[in-house]
Amino acid sequence: MDTSPTALFDSYEQDFQQFILTIGEKLEGDGKDERAEQRKTTLRRVEMELDEADEMVSQMEIEIQGIPQSVRAQYHTRLRTAKSELARYKKLMNDVRTQLARADLLSSSSPQYNSDDPYGSNSDRTRLLAGTALLEDGTKRLQDSHRIALETEDQGAEILMNLRGQREQIENSRNTLQRADMSIDRASNTLKKMIRRMYQQRVVTAAIIIVLVLLIGIIIWEKLS
C-alpha cells in the first residue's frame, strides 16, 4: 500500500478523471442523439456523477494540505484544472437541460392555426415566451446556486487551512512544553544530587570534628595524668 503524502490525492484525482470521462461521453458523445426520455434519464445519471466528481475535488482539496511544500505548487495546478473541468461540465449540463426543457415546451405547445380564432397563435406565442422566461430564470438561479456553492467551497478550504495552521501551532507549543518539562526534570535531578552531596559533606565534616575533639581530649588527659 502506497503511504506517500501524495498517494490519496493521486487516487482521488484518478477517480475524478474517470467520472469526467464518463460525463463527457454522455454529454458530448453519442448520448446527445438520444430521444427525449432517454436524454432525461442520462442527465439524471450525469447529475449524480457530477456530485461524485465534486466530492472527489473536495477530497483532493483536503489532501493537498498534507502535501510537502516543495511539490505542493504542481498539485495546486492539478486541483485548479480539475475544478475548471468540473465547472465546465456543470455549465454544459445546465445548457443541455435548458435546451431539453425548451424542446419539450415547443413540442407540447405546437401552434394550432384556426381561421375562426385569429388570437390562437398569439396566445401560444405568449405561453412560449412565458415558458422561456421561466426557464431563463431557473437557469439563472442554478448559476447563482453554483456560484454560491463555489464560494462556500473556497471558504471551507480557507477554514481548513486555518485549522491546520492552528493545529501546527498547538503541536509546536506542546513540543516546547515537553522540552521545558524535560529540562525541569534534569534540573530537579541535579539539585537533588547537590543536596545529597551537601549532606554527605556535612556528615564527613562532623565526623572529622568529633575525631579532632577526641584527639585533643586524649592529649590533654595524657598531659594531666
Side-chain angles (χ1 to χ4, degrees):
M1 181 178 179
D2 191 356
T3 59
S4 63
T6 62
L8 282 176
F9 183 96
D10 293 335
S11 176
Y12 288 129
E13 185 182 30
Q14 184 178 2
D15 292 340
F16 171 80
Q17 292 299 334
Q18 291 178 353
F19 281 118
I20 286 297
L21 181 61
T22 304
I23 292 168
E25 290 176 352
K26 291 177 180 177
L27 292 180
E28 300 175 324
D30 297 335
K32 64 184 179 180
D33 297 327
E34 295 174 336
R35 290 181 298 177
E37 291 302 323
Q38 292 177 339
R39 193 61 169 160
K40 290 179 182 178
T41 303
T42 300
L43 288 180
R44 285 194 291 269
R45 292 176 181 172
V46 168
E47 185 175 6
M48 291 188 292
E49 289 169 352
L50 281 173
D51 290 339
E52 293 291 338
D54 199 353
E55 178 65 21
M56 293 300 102
V57 170
S58 299
Q59 294 297 331
M60 290 163 62
E61 199 160 34
I62 293 173
E63 292 302 325
I64 203 172
Q65 307 303 324
I67 294 177
Q69 291 285 350
S70 58
V71 296
R72 189 179 296 180
Q74 60 181 346
Y75 283 88
H76 270 298
T77 301
R78 289 161 61 176
L79 178 61
R80 285 194 297 269
T81 301
K83 285 184 176 181
S84 177
E85 289 181 350
L86 182 62
R88 182 172 73 86
Y89 279 109
K90 283 184 177 180
K91 183 178 182 302
L92 180 58
M93 186 184 131
N94 289 332
D95 293 342
V96 173
R97 181 179 290 166
T98 301
Q99 293 173 3
L100 186 61
R102 287 178 179 174
D104 288 342
L105 184 61
L106 288 173
S107 63
S108 63
S109 60
S110 57
Q112 299 293 331
Y113 295 102
N114 191 340
S115 59
D116 296 332
D117 185 11
Y119 301 101
S121 61
N122 289 333
S123 177
D124 290 338
R125 187 178 297 108
T126 301
R127 288 198 299 270
L128 178 60
L129 291 174
T132 302
L134 287 174
L135 285 173
E136 290 178 351
D137 183 61
T139 302
K140 184 178 179 181
R141 290 183 180 179
L142 284 174
Q143 291 175 350
D144 291 340
S145 299
H146 178 63
R147 177 179 54 79
I148 292 173
L150 289 177
E151 291 177 355
T152 304
E153 184 180 352
D154 292 338
Q155 291 176 357
E158 185 177 355
I159 291 173
L160 287 174
M161 293 180 64
N162 292 334
L163 289 175
R164 181 178 179 81
Q166 292 176 3
R167 186 182 68 180
E168 291 177 352
Q169 291 178 356
I170 292 172
E171 289 178 351
N172 291 333
S173 300
R174 184 180 63 186
N175 293 334
T176 302
L177 288 174
Q178 289 177 349
R179 289 194 295 268
D181 189 39
M182 291 175 62
S183 299
I184 291 172
D185 288 340
R186 287 196 296 269
S188 177
N189 292 332
T190 302
L191 287 174
K192 288 179 180 178
K193 290 179 181 178
M194 293 174 65
I195 292 172
R196 187 165 56 250
R197 289 179 181 176
M198 180 185 68
Y199 282 124
Q200 290 175 351
Q201 290 176 356
R202 286 185 178 180
V203 171
V204 172
T205 303
I208 293 173
I209 292 173
I210 292 172
V211 170
L212 290 175
V213 169
L214 289 174
L215 289 174
I216 292 170
I218 294 172
I219 293 171
I220 293 173
W221 181 78
E222 287 182 351
K223 287 185 177 181
L224 291 177
S225 62

